[in-house]
Amino acid sequence: MAGSGDEGLYSRQLYVLGGGARRLAGAAVLVSGLRGLGAQAAAAALVLAGTGRVVLHDCGAASTTDRAHQHLQTCGVPCHVLTPQFLLGEGDVGQNRAEASQRALAELNPGVVVTAHSGELSEAFLASFQVVVLTEAPLEEQLRVGDFCHARGICFIVADAKGLAGQLFCDFGERFVVDDPAEGDPVCAAVQHISQGNPGVVTYTRTEDSRSHLFCDGDLVTFSGVEGMVELNSQEPVPVRVLDASRLEIGDTSSFSPYLCGGLVSQVRLPQVHSYEPLRRALAKPKIRVATPEELPRSRSLHAAFQALHAFCGEQGRLPRPRAQVDAERVLELARSLGVQQGPLDEDMVRAFASVSAGDLCPVAAIVGALAAQEVLKAITRKFLPLDQWLYFDALECLAMEGAAQLTEEDCAPRGSRYDGQIAVFGATFQEQLGCQKFLVVGAGAIGCELLKNFAMMGLAAGPGGDLTITDMDTVALSNLHRQLLYRSADISKPKSVVAATAVRRMNPDVRVTAHQYEVGPATESLYGDSFFRCLDGVASALDTLEARAYLESRCHRCLTPLLDSGTEGPRGNVLAMVPPVTKPLGPAGTPEDSTFPLCTLRYFPTTIQHTLQWARDEFEGLFQLPAEHINRFMEDPGFLEQLPAKKALEVVEQVRGSLWEWPRDWQDCVRWARRHWQSRYHNAIAQLLHTLPPDHEASPGVPFWTGNRSCPHPLTFNPNNDTHLEYILAAAHLFAQAHKVPPCSDRAAAQTILHSVVLPPFEPQEGLQIPLTDEQEEAQVPVDHRRLADLTQDLVQRRQELVGSEEVQVPLMEPIHFEKDNNIHMDFITAASNLRAENYGIPPADWLTSKRIAGRIVPAIITTTAAVAGLVCLEVYKLVWGCQDISCYRNSNLCLSDCLLLRIQPLPPHTYRYGGREWSCWDRLELRAVGADGQDMTVQEVLDWLQRTYGWTVTMLLHGCTVLYNSEGDEETRARQRVQRLSENLKDAGEPPWRELELLYVCEGEDSEDEDTCPPLLCSLP
């Protein structure tokens, strides 16, 4: 069955959250505090993810600097709201923050009820929610609300962000049931064999996309459909021990009947019950989640620092002043005196934390807000293990940048600017530097939208000389709307880059943003050339293919341009910083997985649902795309057949002939065609296969043919009342009608009536048919029947003349249909065709959404991950803008929101090598302004002389790519001609483009030519 409208909108999210995501529509969530952190939590997951009702609470009014006393009294902190709060604009100044945010959030997702509340959080009010989130609230309020929520079984979350640090706490009650604690869906595999023994060993078929073991030690499994060893079919879930990638131990099977064939082994995930302490008790004895044991002392110190900060606010009625040493020391004294520290207190870290705690940074709000939002989704969907119970995050390494420690109170004092929260951390001069940046964002998808939102709030490229370029070739689609917050339903089919640029200007009119719709690749190097990249201060990659990311990395590496690369897959994400000459280049991103399967496997011996889905994709192309393309081309120019190899020409001619002879007059004909095709594929073809290779066939004496990776199929019998059978007929008939320009119909009852009247001849097997058992046999050259080819071609030419002479014929004759994963009819056909094929071979079927993910090669995605990843990228942007050359300040990040883990590590330094008697970095290059004495570009001899004069190297070979500019082993005449040629003449002779900047490689005397790629490249700038 086709996906509903909601599935079309939320499909990528459903792949992450599973069936529990459907609970979102009935949930009610309160988010209290609508500064940057609250706005991120509310927008990032709750509204865009489709939560049924979201109530926003805030007592403060929006203002440019927003130091309203009302907000100070209710929440205990001042606010510089317009910096990180991307939902508000200048027109909202003076209005209640919750009410102003409500209007913007309601626009994000019309399917979510978003309301505002500016009164107190009474118990009667709180009782109507499943989840309550407090952001940046005073400790007294946290304790009061936390006690009530714990007593009532309401999931309670506290999120706080202060300067460069963040805090997250979860209390989901004394008995919280997690339905599914792990990523993905429970796995299922086809059984190949089960031994009798203690323990019994199960051999199963791996899925094609499994990168490692399907099962893990301790997993619980059940069996179904096993023939022979039927005792397993009725057993309760049993634990397994993994032997290797295709074998499991399952306990004692020695008394069971011998295994014959068939069966499925299915993973079972039993619900888990978890208990949580209320905030009041958890403060004193915190359970803190850390990625590594080494992080625990730092997190414990942050736990004490946040409590000390609450005490300072209660004592002083304000946050510590930025860079005020007296205030920072007072926070440290309070941290010592509270006695909550478990282990030694990191006093330097507490001082650093306090000194910038008045800061308000969009990236930190994005990270902590996204983490909090993911915990809300866990509470509602009961998918993944919730945080148990504290998490601390900090980016205080930013304060270790050279010169950052010397900032004064005056440098960081508020200016009455929308950027005061950022100035409080990095100073006013830094804010001016942010405005002058020139950045390129490649990709305006999920990560790209979050990056652009953050850049607008940070003021990147919002000053004199600044420039922010966005490029993306794609247009907005329905499935983008639940995770790409810059787009609305009215933007569907519009260019992403253009819509995103407009949204950035709306958030911050000062940002100088330019939208492009080009791919960054070899074809656009005239636009994105060396000079373009060298003018950039940085590049943010938000690409989704390894090839594109690798190309962008190579361009940035060549031009010494900093690159921040990021990616996500479901709840996982990563950020990599490439900073010339400080860090190691990113290097190869890995090779794309080969998604092709052996032809004989797809045609005769499928074993996994991936096989049957690829077979269905091939069916789709062979039925609804290629015949139409071939007929249209034949009608336009029948001579094109002569340009094809004879084997291919015969294949095309038979395809064209079949299409013309089966031309439908109406939709009823299309239904009859679909019924005949169903019979051909799912009954006759399988019956023929079993006639040629019967179930008892032996590959060699005593060795069964149908064993191992060959599952013996069985023919299907058509039943018009079977949902899958009917779905196939309706989808196939619809597509066949569309391809032939016949009005389609979706009347199920009418289709069933037609199907009952269809009478098909009984199957008659073909004798002597050879079944290829390998791809080599499949591709073996079979003699082409040239006589048949000539006769068919002559018949088609005659038929074409008849059609061309008819006034009723429309040109083009057919409509080729290209598979689109977001087209429901297309996916209806693919799902039904694949599952019928799977039924033939006893393969576990896949539902509509799973089929769409596999056949459409969709990467699961959710906004929480992309928001957190974008925030991590922007922290590295701060360091690039500062001009930091200290590798210890940079971080590569790995994120796993399903486990609430964030690992940030220092990048590796660049590798070095020795060449020509000295050490070089991988970033080093020789730079030569290749202008000769006459003002023209240098000759080869002048380049050779420069290398000899400057480095003492005698060059034996000089190359540009594959073009040899000089080779000392050539004859004297050739060498003399090469020496006097100018660099540009060499390129012209080789047919290369007129480059103005050349990267030359060389081999020096005494060096092994095989090691030529270890020498520093020579960059020549031509006049």
Side-chain angles (χ1 to χ4, degrees):
M1 182 181 70
S4 68
D6 282 351
E7 288 178 341
L9 176 62
Y10 300 114
S11 61
R12 277 62 170 174
Q13 176 177 282
L14 284 168
Y15 296 135
V16 181
L17 299 177
R22 295 181 173 87
R23 296 193 180 106
L24 287 167
V29 180
L30 170 68
V31 178
S32 177
L34 266 298
R35 299 173 66 203
L37 176 52
Q40 182 67 57
L46 309 184
V47 175
L48 284 174
T51 306
R53 183 167 70 99
V54 178
V55 178
L56 313 176
H57 170 257
D58 202 303
C59 300
S63 66
T64 305
T65 54
D66 203 21
R67 291 182 174 79
H69 291 293
Q70 180 185 17
H71 187 70
L72 174 64
Q73 293 164 359
T74 57
C75 297
V77 293
C79 179
H80 321 282
V81 75
L82 295 187
T83 303
Q85 223 289 29
F86 60 93
L87 298 173
L88 303 181
E90 297 294 339
D92 297 313
V93 171
Q95 301 182 42
N96 175 268
R97 193 177 298 111
E99 293 174 359
S101 299
Q102 182 273 335
R103 291 188 290 273
L105 280 173
E107 186 183 283
L108 274 180
N109 191 343
V112 174
V113 177
V114 184
T115 58
H117 177 73
S118 57
E120 68 171 334
L121 298 180
S122 66
E123 292 185 355
F125 177 71
L126 293 169
S128 64
F129 299 99
Q130 284 82 51
V131 187
V132 171
V133 183
L134 297 188
T135 69
E136 303 174 88
L139 183 58
E140 295 77 12
E141 181 83 342
Q142 294 176 10
L143 292 169
R144 180 184 72 82
V145 175
D147 287 344
F148 175 80
C149 289
H150 187 84
R152 292 296 185 93
I154 299 170
C155 294
F156 177 60
I157 297 172
V158 172
D160 204 352
K162 292 292 184 288
L164 286 163
Q167 174 193 61
L168 187 62
F169 169 78
C170 291
D171 169 18
F172 287 6
E174 295 182 1
R175 182 179 172 79
F176 181 80
V177 179
V178 180
D179 291 338
D180 189 352
E183 292 180 43
D185 296 320
V187 297
C188 182
V191 175
Q192 291 184 336
H193 185 263
I194 307 173
S195 68
Q196 287 178 296
N198 187 12
V201 176
V202 178
T203 304
Y204 64 88
T205 302
R206 297 182 64 195
T207 60
E208 297 290 340
D209 62 350
S210 58
R211 297 183 184 129
S212 57
H213 298 244
L214 281 181
F215 300 93
C216 298
D217 287 343
D219 277 355
L220 297 175
V221 301
T222 58
F223 292 85
S224 61
V226 174
E227 296 184 27
M229 198 176 284
V230 295
E231 295 89 343
L232 285 175
N233 294 329
S234 58
Q235 271 200 336
E236 293 296 312
V238 296
V240 302
R241 188 172 80 88
V242 175
L243 296 178
D244 55 37
S246 60
R247 293 188 305 150
L248 306 170
E249 284 184 353
I250 58 168
D252 190 358
T253 61
S254 57
S255 62
F256 292 173
S257 306
Y259 173 81
L260 294 179
C261 64
L264 302 176
V265 54
S266 304
Q267 182 187 43
V268 177
R269 294 180 184 166
L270 299 179
Q272 298 181 9
V273 179
H274 293 262
S275 179
Y276 300 87
E277 295 287 347
L279 176 63
R280 198 174 296 274
R281 288 204 294 266
L283 276 171
K285 295 183 178 179
K287 289 189 286 185
I288 302 176
R289 183 79 163 122
V290 291
T292 64
E294 292 76 21
E295 293 180 7
L296 187 56
R298 185 177 186 87
S299 291
R300 286 174 171 167
S301 293
L302 278 171
H303 183 73
F306 267 91
Q307 291 188 65
L309 190 64
H310 280 296
F312 181 94
C313 291
E315 177 184 279
Q316 303 291 329
R318 60 173 175 82
L319 285 168
R321 294 184 301 272
R323 304 288 177 162
Q325 185 176 353
V326 174
D327 287 356
E329 290 297 331
R330 179 56 185 155
V331 172
L332 179 58
E333 290 175 11
L334 290 168
R336 293 174 182 144
S337 66
L338 289 173
V340 298
Q341 176 65 17
Q342 298 176 324
L345 184 68
D346 188 335
E347 297 190 352
D348 289 339
M349 193 205 67
V350 175
R351 288 191 190 95
F353 164 77
S355 71
V356 296
S357 59
D360 208 348
L361 300 179
C362 180
V364 177
I367 296 165
V368 180
L371 292 169
Q374 185 66 51
E375 295 307 306
V376 174
L377 295 182
K378 293 178 185 178
I380 298 170
T381 65
R382 300 179 181 263
K383 172 76 172 178
F384 305 137
L385 292 176
L387 171 63
D388 186 22
Q389 285 189 264
W390 293 94
L391 178 75
Y392 286 93
F393 164 82
D394 79 88
L396 291 170
E397 75 276 357
C398 292
L399 301 183
M401 296 184 296
E402 186 177 357
Q406 285 69 50
L407 290 173
T408 65
E409 284 189 66
E410 182 179 354
D411 294 329
C412 300
R415 266 66 172 171
S417 154
R418 66 181 292 158
Y419 307 116
D420 277 355
Q422 207 158 244
I423 290 171
V425 178
F426 296 110
T429 301
F430 175 81
Q431 188 61 49
E432 293 175 1
Q433 293 173 335
L434 262 174
C436 300
Q437 295 296 296
K438 293 180 173 62
F439 256 72
L440 170 67
V441 176
V442 186
I447 298 176
C449 281
E450 292 292 328
L451 286 173
L452 293 168
K453 176 260 294 179
N454 291 347
F455 288 168
M457 296 298 98
M458 293 160 59
L460 187 80
D467 182 70
L468 178 59
T469 301
I470 313 164
T471 186
D472 194 306
M473 299 173 63
D474 207 356
T475 56
V476 180
L478 174 66
S479 60
N480 300 149
L481 302 184
H482 84 277
R483 69 191 192 283
Q484 300 180 16
L485 60 83
L486 300 186
Y487 308 131
R488 308 290 182 269
S489 56
D491 299 321
I492 290 176
S493 299
K494 295 180 182 178
K496 281 186 174 181
S497 60
V498 175
V499 177
T502 302
V504 168
R505 295 187 195 101
R506 187 169 55 248
M507 290 181 181
N508 189 341
D510 294 331
V511 175
R512 293 160 167 80
V513 58
T514 305
H516 290 179
Q517 298 172 50
Y518 308 113
E519 179 185 20
V520 179
T524 56
E525 287 187 0
S526 59
L527 177 62
Y528 306 118
D530 289 353
S531 59
F532 175 84
F533 274 93
R534 285 180 181 146
C535 289
L536 296 173
D537 295 299
V539 175
S541 167
L543 294 164
D544 56 4
T545 68
L546 294 177
E547 296 91 338
R549 292 168 78 176
Y551 175 82
L552 187 60
E553 188 272 336
S554 69
R555 297 295 294 154
C556 291
H557 185 237
R558 171 185 170 90
C559 298
L560 302 181
T561 305
L563 171 65
L564 301 174
D565 182 71
S566 57
T568 68
E569 182 174 356
R572 299 175 181 269
N574 72 287
V575 177
L576 299 174
M578 185 180 84
V579 186
V582 180
T583 69
K584 180 182 178 181
L586 299 185
T591 56
E593 292 190 15
D594 187 1
S595 59
T596 59
F597 304 113
L599 288 175
C600 62
T601 298
L602 295 181
R603 291 189 181 183
Y604 306 110
F605 312 118
T607 56
T608 70
I609 199 67
Q610 286 79 6
H611 292 156
T612 63
L613 281 165
Q614 183 58 53
W615 179 88
R617 281 284 305 266
D618 294 343
E619 272 279 282
F620 187 101
E621 183 181 88
L623 293 174
F624 311 121
Q625 178 190 332
L626 294 180
E629 290 177 345
H630 293 153
I631 281 183
N632 290 346
R633 190 171 179 189
F634 179 76
M635 293 297 294
E636 180 183 340
D637 175 22
F640 93 95
L641 293 171
E642 300 173 1
Q643 303 167 17
L644 301 176
K647 183 178 179 182
K648 180 66 175 178
L650 182 58
E651 178 185 323
V652 170
V653 166
E654 289 178 335
Q655 198 174 60
V656 170
R657 180 181 181 274
S659 296
L660 290 176
W661 262 251
E662 289 191 307
W663 201 270
R665 296 163 299 175
D666 49 30
W667 177 70
Q668 289 84 348
D669 278 354
C670 296
V671 172
R672 297 184 187 101
W673 169 87
R675 173 65 182 90
R676 292 194 300 273
H677 195 75
W678 190 102
Q679 191 72 11
S680 169
R681 285 293 185 259
Y682 303 110
H683 183 276
N684 296 355
I686 301 299
Q688 177 65 59
L689 179 62
L690 293 177
H691 177 77
T692 306
L693 300 169
D696 58 357
H697 183 72
E698 293 184 343
S700 58
V703 179
F705 178 84
W706 294 107
T707 188
N709 286 330
R710 298 193 191 113
S711 297
C712 186
H714 67 276
L716 303 184
T717 301
F718 184 77
N719 179 1
N721 297 316
N722 181 295
D723 286 341
T724 305
H725 296 196
L726 188 57
E727 287 290 343
Y728 177 90
I729 296 296
L730 290 171
H734 182 106
L735 292 165
F736 194 70
Q738 180 183 342
H740 290 82
K741 300 184 178 182
V742 171
C745 176
S746 57
D747 189 330
R748 297 173 70 90
Q752 286 177 309
T753 300
I754 298 169
L755 291 170
H756 282 296
S757 68
V758 175
V759 178
L760 299 178
F763 168 71
E764 294 185 6
Q766 181 180 346
E767 301 295 338
L769 187 67
Q770 295 295 315
I771 302 295
L773 303 182
T774 65
D775 273 8
E776 289 73 17
Q777 294 178 14
E778 179 81 31
E779 296 170 2
Q781 290 295 328
V782 178
V784 176
D785 188 340
H786 289 277
R787 179 61 181 269
R788 175 172 170 77
L789 174 59
D791 290 345
L792 286 175
T793 303
Q794 184 177 352
D795 289 346
L796 286 178
V797 170
Q798 182 177 349
R799 177 62 175 155
R800 176 183 177 275
Q801 291 173 344
E802 295 171 1
L803 290 170
V804 170
S806 172
E807 296 181 357
E808 299 178 359
V809 172
Q810 300 177 357
V811 178
L813 202 59
M814 294 184 69
E815 177 188 339
I817 304 175
H818 295 264
F819 172 71
E820 292 287 346
K821 62 180 179 294
D822 290 320
N823 185 299
N824 286 349
I825 295 293
H826 295 193
M827 279 312 309
D828 286 348
F829 176 84
I830 294 292
T831 304
S834 170
N835 284 340
L836 289 168
R837 179 81 165 169
E839 186 180 351
N840 278 139
Y841 284 87
I843 298 168
D847 61 28
W848 194 88
L849 273 175
T850 302
S851 299
K852 179 176 179 177
R853 176 180 62 80
I854 298 172
R857 301 181 179 94
I858 295 173
V859 177
I862 192 167
I863 179 110
T864 47
T865 312
T866 53
V869 162
L872 292 165
V873 170
C874 291
L875 289 175
E876 303 311 304
V877 170
Y878 284 142
K879 301 162 190 177
L880 292 180
V881 175
W882 192 274
C884 179
Q885 295 294 299
D886 183 354
I887 193 172
S888 67
C889 294
Y890 288 97
R891 294 291 183 271
N892 289 339
S893 299
N894 285 287
L895 177 73
C896 181
L897 292 186
S898 58
D899 291 326
C900 208
L901 284 177
L902 173 58
L903 179 63
R904 303 175 70 229
I905 59 175
Q906 178 180 309
L908 294 173
H911 68 269
T912 59
Y913 59 94
R914 293 195 63 80
Y915 187 84
R918 56 174 287 189
E919 188 172 73
W920 301 84
S921 162
C922 61
W923 292 108
D924 288 332
R925 65 273 321 282
L926 316 181
E927 297 187 4
L928 169 63
R929 187 169 181 271
V931 181
D934 57 1
Q936 299 186 54
D937 54 295
M938 283 184 172
T939 63
V940 169
Q941 184 62 60
E942 288 175 306
V943 174
L944 300 178
D945 292 344
W946 181 83
L947 286 168
Q948 175 69 52
R949 184 171 62 251
T950 307
Y951 297 98
W953 297 340
T954 300
V955 174
T956 58
M957 184 176 290
L958 187 68
L959 306 100
H960 177 256
C962 296
T963 303
V964 177
L965 307 183
Y966 174 74
N967 186 353
S968 64
E969 294 184 359
D971 57 59
E972 179 58 37
E973 181 181 349
T974 301
R975 295 200 308 272
R977 177 173 49 79
Q978 289 174 335
R979 289 194 192 99
V980 299
Q981 274 197 307
R982 299 189 184 277
L983 295 178
S984 59
E985 293 173 344
N986 266 298
L987 300 181
K988 184 178 180 181
D989 291 345
E992 294 193 36
W995 303 101
R996 305 320 299 166
E997 293 187 355
L998 306 180
E999 180 174 325
L1000 305 184
L1001 295 177
Y1002 49 88
V1003 179
C1004 294
E1005 195 173 76
E1007 297 290 337
D1008 186 346
S1009 62
E1010 293 183 359
D1011 296 331
E1012 61 186 20
D1013 60 340
T1014 61
C1015 63
L1018 171 59
L1019 301 185
C1020 298
S1021 301
L1022 303 186

